[in-house]
Amino acid sequence: MRLALSEAERAYEQGEVPVGAVVIQKDRILGRGHNRIEKLNDPTAHAEIIAISAAAESLGHPHLKGATIYVTIEPCPMCAGAIVLARLERLVYGARDPKTGACGTLYDITNDLRLNHRVKVSSGVLENECSQMLSSFFRKLRSKTP
């Protein structure tokens, strides 16, 4: 999770919502990413999507069986869907997302029995640090708003 937090710090420094993600398999980093939505003018450029894409590229195929993704905040519906489609074994996230969380808070896409794959989910890992970074970012953003 510390690596995901480092990615989130990079996003923060670039003026992006500070979310970071890292995909690991057998102690090997397969992919990492941070939000790049504003930089790329791409609403799909979430940290999880970038990390999953990098991991799939690293392995040379789209299925990330046996891999774990670490994310600083609970994934949204798009990212939860990508996690399921990539067949990640496990998701570990820091802060819950009461507005768009799709891994147990608003929805539970990662464990929906109607889908062909389910993901083991662990939440609350370094939750305070993850939450504080997000709070700091939005506090700073609001202070700049006239």
Side-chain angles (χ1 to χ4, degrees), residues 97-123:
D97 186 346
K99 294 185 179 181
T100 65
C103 301
T105 299
L106 291 180
Y107 308 101
D108 198 2
I109 292 170
T110 49
N111 283 294
D112 191 320
L113 296 176
R114 296 168 292 182
L115 300 175
N116 68 340
H117 180 73
R118 271 151 299 295
V119 180
K120 296 173 191 161
V121 177
S122 300
S123 62

mmCIF file of all heavy atoms in Angstrom, residues 97-123:
data_model
loop_
_atom_site.group_PDB
_atom_site.id
_atom_site.type_symbol
_atom_site.label_atom_id
_atom_site.label_comp_id
_atom_site.label_asym_id
_atom_site.label_seq_id
_atom_site.Cartn_x
_atom_site.Cartn_y
_atom_site.Cartn_z
ATOM 1 N N ASP A 97 -15.097 4.837 -0.213
ATOM 2 C CA ASP A 97 -15.610 5.960 -0.999
ATOM 3 C C ASP A 97 -17.132 5.954 -0.928
ATOM 4 O O ASP A 97 -17.787 5.207 -1.646
ATOM 5 C CB ASP A 97 -15.143 5.866 -2.446
ATOM 6 C CG ASP A 97 -15.521 7.090 -3.262
ATOM 7 O OD1 ASP A 97 -16.360 7.892 -2.793
ATOM 8 O OD2 ASP A 97 -14.992 7.242 -4.367
ATOM 9 N N PRO A 98 -17.698 6.804 -0.072
ATOM 10 C CA PRO A 98 -19.153 6.809 0.103
ATOM 11 C C PRO A 98 -19.931 7.351 -1.094
ATOM 12 O O PRO A 98 -21.133 7.152 -1.192
ATOM 13 C CB PRO A 98 -19.365 7.702 1.328
ATOM 14 C CG PRO A 98 -18.161 8.582 1.370
ATOM 15 C CD PRO A 98 -17.027 7.756 0.804
ATOM 16 N N LYS A 99 -19.236 7.989 -2.045
ATOM 17 C CA LYS A 99 -19.928 8.560 -3.204
ATOM 18 C C LYS A 99 -19.916 7.657 -4.424
ATOM 19 O O LYS A 99 -20.869 7.633 -5.186
ATOM 20 C CB LYS A 99 -19.326 9.922 -3.555
ATOM 21 C CG LYS A 99 -19.579 10.949 -2.471
ATOM 22 C CD LYS A 99 -19.091 12.311 -2.866
ATOM 23 C CE LYS A 99 -19.408 13.283 -1.734
ATOM 24 N NZ LYS A 99 -18.979 14.611 -2.054
ATOM 25 N N THR A 100 -18.820 6.923 -4.644
ATOM 26 C CA THR A 100 -18.747 6.078 -5.844
ATOM 27 C C THR A 100 -18.193 4.684 -5.579
ATOM 28 O O THR A 100 -17.926 3.945 -6.522
ATOM 29 C CB THR A 100 -17.888 6.744 -6.949
ATOM 30 O OG1 THR A 100 -16.546 6.850 -6.487
ATOM 31 C CG2 THR A 100 -18.415 8.105 -7.345
ATOM 32 N N GLY A 101 -18.006 4.308 -4.333
ATOM 33 C CA GLY A 101 -17.408 3.018 -4.006
ATOM 34 C C GLY A 101 -18.210 1.832 -4.522
ATOM 35 O O GLY A 101 -19.391 1.697 -4.225
ATOM 36 N N ALA A 102 -17.541 0.976 -5.272
ATOM 37 C CA ALA A 102 -18.235 -0.155 -5.899
ATOM 38 C C ALA A 102 -17.669 -1.504 -5.477
ATOM 39 O O ALA A 102 -17.838 -2.497 -6.168
ATOM 40 C CB ALA A 102 -18.173 -0.005 -7.416
ATOM 41 N N CYS A 103 -17.015 -1.530 -4.314
ATOM 42 C CA CYS A 103 -16.440 -2.778 -3.817
ATOM 43 C C CYS A 103 -16.925 -3.046 -2.395
ATOM 44 O O CYS A 103 -16.180 -3.480 -1.528
ATOM 45 C CB CYS A 103 -14.921 -2.704 -3.879
ATOM 46 S SG CYS A 103 -14.311 -2.431 -5.549
ATOM 47 N N GLY A 104 -18.193 -2.732 -2.178
ATOM 48 C CA GLY A 104 -18.807 -2.994 -0.880
ATOM 49 C C GLY A 104 -19.589 -1.831 -0.300
ATOM 50 O O GLY A 104 -20.483 -2.034 0.504
ATOM 51 N N THR A 105 -19.292 -0.602 -0.706
ATOM 52 C CA THR A 105 -19.974 0.548 -0.117
ATOM 53 C C THR A 105 -21.305 0.826 -0.806
ATOM 54 O O THR A 105 -22.359 0.607 -0.211
ATOM 55 C CB THR A 105 -19.067 1.791 -0.124
ATOM 56 O OG1 THR A 105 -17.900 1.493 0.653
ATOM 57 C CG2 THR A 105 -19.750 2.992 0.492
ATOM 58 N N LEU A 106 -21.289 1.310 -2.044
ATOM 59 C CA LEU A 106 -22.547 1.541 -2.781
ATOM 60 C C LEU A 106 -22.976 0.314 -3.569
ATOM 61 O O LEU A 106 -24.150 0.013 -3.681
ATOM 62 C CB LEU A 106 -22.399 2.717 -3.751
ATOM 63 C CG LEU A 106 -22.255 4.095 -3.145
ATOM 64 C CD1 LEU A 106 -22.110 5.134 -4.250
ATOM 65 C CD2 LEU A 106 -23.435 4.431 -2.268
ATOM 66 N N TYR A 107 -21.999 -0.333 -4.153
ATOM 67 C CA TYR A 107 -22.208 -1.544 -4.951
ATOM 68 C C TYR A 107 -21.187 -2.573 -4.484
ATOM 69 O O TYR A 107 -20.257 -2.239 -3.754
ATOM 70 C CB TYR A 107 -21.985 -1.270 -6.453
ATOM 71 C CG TYR A 107 -22.763 -0.105 -6.974
ATOM 72 C CD1 TYR A 107 -22.146 1.129 -7.167
ATOM 73 C CD2 TYR A 107 -24.117 -0.220 -7.274
ATOM 74 C CE1 TYR A 107 -22.860 2.217 -7.649
ATOM 75 C CE2 TYR A 107 -24.836 0.863 -7.756
ATOM 76 C CZ TYR A 107 -24.201 2.079 -7.938
ATOM 77 O OH TYR A 107 -24.910 3.148 -8.409
ATOM 78 N N ASP A 108 -21.322 -3.796 -4.964
ATOM 79 C CA ASP A 108 -20.324 -4.812 -4.657
ATOM 80 C C ASP A 108 -20.011 -5.605 -5.923
ATOM 81 O O ASP A 108 -20.224 -6.809 -5.999
ATOM 82 C CB ASP A 108 -20.809 -5.734 -3.536
ATOM 83 C CG ASP A 108 -19.654 -6.506 -2.900
ATOM 84 O OD1 ASP A 108 -18.490 -6.287 -3.306
ATOM 85 O OD2 ASP A 108 -19.922 -7.324 -2.016
ATOM 86 N N ILE A 109 -19.500 -4.890 -6.905
ATOM 87 C CA ILE A 109 -19.204 -5.483 -8.205
ATOM 88 C C ILE A 109 -18.168 -6.596 -8.097
ATOM 89 O O ILE A 109 -18.278 -7.616 -8.772
ATOM 90 C CB ILE A 109 -18.748 -4.385 -9.198
ATOM 91 C CG1 ILE A 109 -19.944 -3.464 -9.499
ATOM 92 C CG2 ILE A 109 -18.175 -4.986 -10.485
ATOM 93 C CD1 ILE A 109 -19.603 -2.215 -10.272
ATOM 94 N N THR A 110 -17.200 -6.434 -7.225
ATOM 95 C CA THR A 110 -16.122 -7.410 -7.116
ATOM 96 C C THR A 110 -16.584 -8.749 -6.539
ATOM 97 O O THR A 110 -15.863 -9.737 -6.635
ATOM 98 C CB THR A 110 -14.970 -6.856 -6.264
ATOM 99 O OG1 THR A 110 -15.511 -6.320 -5.052
ATOM 100 C CG2 THR A 110 -14.198 -5.783 -7.006
ATOM 101 N N ASN A 111 -17.775 -8.774 -5.960
ATOM 102 C CA ASN A 111 -18.291 -10.020 -5.387
ATOM 103 C C ASN A 111 -19.716 -10.317 -5.835
ATOM 104 O O ASN A 111 -20.453 -11.013 -5.132
ATOM 105 C CB ASN A 111 -18.189 -9.995 -3.869
ATOM 106 C CG ASN A 111 -16.765 -10.238 -3.430
ATOM 107 O OD1 ASN A 111 -16.232 -11.314 -3.623
ATOM 108 N ND2 ASN A 111 -16.136 -9.215 -2.890
ATOM 109 N N ASP A 112 -20.088 -9.815 -6.983
ATOM 110 C CA ASP A 112 -21.421 -10.054 -7.530
ATOM 111 C C ASP A 112 -21.490 -11.481 -8.081
ATOM 112 O O ASP A 112 -20.749 -11.834 -9.002
ATOM 113 C CB ASP A 112 -21.714 -9.033 -8.636
ATOM 114 C CG ASP A 112 -23.162 -9.042 -9.080
ATOM 115 O OD1 ASP A 112 -23.748 -10.144 -9.193
ATOM 116 O OD2 ASP A 112 -23.703 -7.955 -9.320
ATOM 117 N N LEU A 113 -22.350 -12.283 -7.521
ATOM 118 C CA LEU A 113 -22.449 -13.691 -7.908
ATOM 119 C C LEU A 113 -22.909 -13.895 -9.351
ATOM 120 O O LEU A 113 -22.742 -14.975 -9.910
ATOM 121 C CB LEU A 113 -23.394 -14.437 -6.962
ATOM 122 C CG LEU A 113 -22.931 -14.504 -5.510
ATOM 123 C CD1 LEU A 113 -23.986 -15.184 -4.644
ATOM 124 C CD2 LEU A 113 -21.593 -15.204 -5.393
ATOM 125 N N ARG A 114 -23.464 -12.862 -9.962
ATOM 126 C CA ARG A 114 -23.905 -12.974 -11.358
ATOM 127 C C ARG A 114 -22.745 -12.881 -12.341
ATOM 128 O O ARG A 114 -22.892 -13.236 -13.503
ATOM 129 C CB ARG A 114 -24.936 -11.881 -11.668
ATOM 130 C CG ARG A 114 -26.215 -12.036 -10.837
ATOM 131 C CD ARG A 114 -27.078 -10.812 -10.936
ATOM 132 N NE ARG A 114 -26.391 -9.698 -10.270
ATOM 133 C CZ ARG A 114 -26.896 -8.481 -10.134
ATOM 134 N NH1 ARG A 114 -28.088 -8.201 -10.646
ATOM 135 N NH2 ARG A 114 -26.226 -7.544 -9.522
ATOM 136 N N LEU A 115 -21.599 -12.432 -11.876
ATOM 137 C CA LEU A 115 -20.428 -12.305 -12.747
ATOM 138 C C LEU A 115 -19.602 -13.586 -12.709
ATOM 139 O O LEU A 115 -19.724 -14.387 -11.785
ATOM 140 C CB LEU A 115 -19.594 -11.093 -12.321
ATOM 141 C CG LEU A 115 -20.337 -9.750 -12.371
ATOM 142 C CD1 LEU A 115 -19.458 -8.633 -11.817
ATOM 143 C CD2 LEU A 115 -20.802 -9.432 -13.773
ATOM 144 N N ASN A 116 -18.736 -13.747 -13.697
ATOM 145 C CA ASN A 116 -17.973 -14.992 -13.811
ATOM 146 C C ASN A 116 -16.702 -15.031 -12.967
ATOM 147 O O ASN A 116 -15.977 -16.021 -12.985
ATOM 148 C CB ASN A 116 -17.611 -15.264 -15.280
ATOM 149 C CG ASN A 116 -16.624 -14.256 -15.832
ATOM 150 O OD1 ASN A 116 -16.478 -13.165 -15.297
ATOM 151 N ND2 ASN A 116 -15.955 -14.603 -16.916
ATOM 152 N N HIS A 117 -16.411 -13.957 -12.233
ATOM 153 C CA HIS A 117 -15.213 -13.922 -11.403
ATOM 154 C C HIS A 117 -15.492 -13.066 -10.175
ATOM 155 O O HIS A 117 -16.199 -12.065 -10.251
ATOM 156 C CB HIS A 117 -14.033 -13.327 -12.204
ATOM 157 C CG HIS A 117 -12.761 -13.249 -11.433
ATOM 158 N ND1 HIS A 117 -12.001 -14.355 -11.133
ATOM 159 C CD2 HIS A 117 -12.114 -12.188 -10.885
ATOM 160 C CE1 HIS A 117 -10.938 -13.981 -10.440
ATOM 161 N NE2 HIS A 117 -10.986 -12.672 -10.285
ATOM 162 N N ARG A 118 -14.950 -13.478 -9.050
ATOM 163 C CA ARG A 118 -15.044 -12.706 -7.833
ATOM 164 C C ARG A 118 -13.646 -12.417 -7.307
ATOM 165 O O ARG A 118 -12.706 -13.165 -7.581
ATOM 166 C CB ARG A 118 -15.883 -13.446 -6.790
ATOM 167 C CG ARG A 118 -17.362 -13.078 -6.962
ATOM 168 C CD ARG A 118 -18.351 -14.111 -6.567
ATOM 169 N NE ARG A 118 -18.376 -15.398 -7.226
ATOM 170 C CZ ARG A 118 -18.674 -15.637 -8.506
ATOM 171 N NH1 ARG A 118 -18.917 -14.660 -9.323
ATOM 172 N NH2 ARG A 118 -18.725 -16.857 -8.981
ATOM 173 N N VAL A 119 -13.546 -11.336 -6.562
ATOM 174 C CA VAL A 119 -12.255 -10.852 -6.081
ATOM 175 C C VAL A 119 -12.286 -10.795 -4.554
ATOM 176 O O VAL A 119 -13.251 -10.318 -3.966
ATOM 177 C CB VAL A 119 -11.980 -9.434 -6.645
ATOM 178 C CG1 VAL A 119 -10.643 -8.891 -6.175
ATOM 179 C CG2 VAL A 119 -12.066 -9.436 -8.172
ATOM 180 N N LYS A 120 -11.215 -11.268 -3.926
ATOM 181 C CA LYS A 120 -11.089 -11.141 -2.469
ATOM 182 C C LYS A 120 -10.777 -9.673 -2.176
ATOM 183 O O LYS A 120 -9.877 -9.099 -2.784
ATOM 184 C CB LYS A 120 -9.957 -12.020 -1.949
ATOM 185 C CG LYS A 120 -10.187 -13.498 -2.146
ATOM 186 C CD LYS A 120 -8.944 -14.282 -1.761
ATOM 187 C CE LYS A 120 -9.088 -15.718 -2.217
ATOM 188 N NZ LYS A 120 -7.803 -16.409 -2.292
ATOM 189 N N VAL A 121 -11.522 -9.089 -1.244
ATOM 190 C CA VAL A 121 -11.365 -7.663 -0.958
ATOM 191 C C VAL A 121 -10.969 -7.456 0.504
ATOM 192 O O VAL A 121 -11.580 -8.020 1.407
ATOM 193 C CB VAL A 121 -12.676 -6.893 -1.250
ATOM 194 C CG1 VAL A 121 -12.535 -5.415 -0.876
ATOM 195 C CG2 VAL A 121 -13.071 -7.047 -2.711
ATOM 196 N N SER A 122 -9.948 -6.627 0.707
ATOM 197 C CA SER A 122 -9.546 -6.176 2.043
ATOM 198 C C SER A 122 -9.583 -4.656 2.030
ATOM 199 O O SER A 122 -9.055 -4.031 1.111
ATOM 200 C CB SER A 122 -8.126 -6.636 2.375
ATOM 201 O OG SER A 122 -8.034 -8.044 2.347
ATOM 202 N N SER A 123 -10.208 -4.073 3.039
ATOM 203 C CA SER A 123 -10.322 -2.610 3.075
ATOM 204 C C SER A 123 -9.718 -2.050 4.357
ATOM 205 O O SER A 123 -9.437 -2.776 5.295
ATOM 206 C CB SER A 123 -11.790 -2.202 2.972
ATOM 207 O OG SER A 123 -12.512 -2.705 4.078
#
